[in-house]
Amino acid sequence: MSFLSVMGRGNVAQYTTEGTDLTAILVEGELLGGECSYYACMPSKALLGPIEVAAASANLSGLRPSELSAPDLLARHDEWVSRRAVILATGAEPVVSAPLQSLEAWGSRCATGVQEIPQRLIVVGGVVACEAATWMSSLGNDVTMLVCGPRLLSAAESFTSRFIEKALAARGITVITDAQVVAAERPQASDTGLGRVHGGPVTVTCAGRTIEADEILVPTGRRPPPDRHGAEGRRPEPDDVLAGCLPDRLYAVSDASGEAQLTHMGKYRARAS
């Protein structure tokens, strides 16, 4: 019998043996299923679904507009999440810019796993930030989005940015562009647990103004985790993976590959391995 050792049991690990007679030995330090299943794509869409239905009902004649229930919306999250070679499928960790690193800021995990709803929330980022700002504002809090560039989602076409910014504003979300953070502080910053407020009020200075909030959410990108797994004494870098310079019988898939951090890309790379 031939075995694969797969380090990381995320959403794409199952595809590493698809169509083969291999048996996989899975090594995982957290929940089986990975980031997409528990903290990212799936719970995010589950939280956005009722909001979309409520918005549609508000514009449909002959029907009373639906009302959102914050407790029921959060409960919906829980309904949805539930050696021949070595394959690195170890995912990625959040990237937080230097001015915000001392704040114990929320990442996307805290947003989808929210337990305590902050009354005032600062959200920094792009695509994930737009999704999170939408459902967090529907829980009844005051949301301010900080965008470092001149417009939302700068990689998309400009009309897309205008459309989304208008939709966010209609929900009462304040969007501040060209918001380069120059200072940030928070008393008693502490990791109090997933989805719980991480300390005292957050004060952020940017774009010529000072903003205070009860929590700050920073879903600003991800990168492979630090040196926990090694090949010949070091962790493979994304350039090594993309250039095909890994040691024999070592493969990297999903976020660990340095390619696009998308679930379907991870599945493709797992099958190709």
Side-chain angles (χ1 to χ4, degrees), residues 142-204:
D142 181 15
V143 178
T144 300
M145 280 195 68
L146 303 183
V147 182
C148 64
R151 62 182 177 90
L152 272 174
L153 306 179
S154 58
E157 296 187 36
S158 58
F159 76 88
T160 304
S161 299
R162 294 193 297 271
F163 180 82
I164 294 177
E165 186 168 347
K166 183 178 179 180
L168 293 174
R171 294 186 172 277
I173 298 169
T174 301
V175 178
I176 303 174
T177 56
D178 291 317
Q180 298 289 341
V181 175
V182 296
E185 59 182 15
R186 176 182 220 171
Q188 293 88 48
S190 174
D191 184 355
T192 54
L194 181 71
R196 301 188 180 279
V197 175
H198 287 179
V202 178
T203 303
V204 174

Side-chain angles (χ1 to χ4, degrees), residues 18-241:
E18 187 178 79
T20 75
D21 59 356
L22 300 174
T23 298
I25 299 174
L26 306 176
V27 181
E28 174 58 64
E30 296 193 45
L31 297 173
L32 295 180
E35 203 75 17
C36 180
S37 300
Y38 294 100
Y39 304 111
C41 314
M42 294 176 68
S44 176
K45 301 307 182 290
L47 291 166
L48 289 172
I51 297 170
E52 294 175 354
V53 172
S57 71
N59 297 290
L60 186 62
S61 59
L63 181 67
R64 290 183 179 179
S66 299
E67 293 185 2
L68 287 169
S69 163
D72 291 341
L73 183 62
L74 297 181
R76 181 174 167 81
H77 166 271
D78 296 332
E79 295 174 6
W80 276 74
V81 296
S82 44
R83 118 155 184 154
R84 171 169 170 173
V86 175
I87 296 177
L88 301 181
T90 50
E93 295 183 342
V95 176
V96 179
S97 61
L100 305 176
Q101 289 178 0
S102 65
L103 304 181
E104 288 289 350
W106 276 10
S108 57
R109 285 189 172 198
C110 281
T112 55
V114 58
Q115 303 293 317
E116 297 175 355
I117 302 172
Q119 292 303 303
R120 302 167 299 170
L121 178 67
I122 297 172
V123 182
V124 183
V127 176
V128 176
C130 289
E131 290 192 7
T134 299
W135 80 66
M136 292 299 295
S137 68
S138 297
L139 297 176
N141 53 19
D142 181 15
V143 178
T144 300
M145 280 195 68
L146 303 183
V147 182
C148 64
R151 62 182 177 90
L152 272 174
L153 306 179
S154 58
E157 296 187 36
S158 58
F159 76 88
T160 304
S161 299
R162 294 193 297 271
F163 180 82
I164 294 177
E165 186 168 347
K166 183 178 179 180
L168 293 174
R171 294 186 172 277
I173 298 169
T174 301
V175 178
I176 303 174
T177 56
D178 291 317
Q180 298 289 341
V181 175
V182 296
E185 59 182 15
R186 176 182 220 171
Q188 293 88 48
S190 174
D191 184 355
T192 54
L194 181 71
R196 301 188 180 279
V197 175
H198 287 179
V202 178
T203 303
V204 174
T205 302
C206 66
R209 68 174 77 183
T210 298
I211 305 164
E212 185 175 277
D214 301 300
E215 190 53 78
I216 181 168
L217 168 61
V218 189
T220 50
R222 304 179 68 82
R223 63 186 171 202
D227 246 338
R228 293 179 187 152
H229 317 286
E232 298 180 354
R234 66 182 183 88
R235 174 177 60 81
E237 297 296 333
D239 288 345
D240 299 331
V241 179

Side-chain angles (χ1 to χ4, degrees), residues 245-263:
C245 296
L246 294 183
D248 186 37
R249 298 170 60 167
L250 178 67
Y251 302 89
V253 302
S254 190
D255 294 346
S257 71
E259 297 174 306
Q261 293 179 340
L262 302 169
T263 300

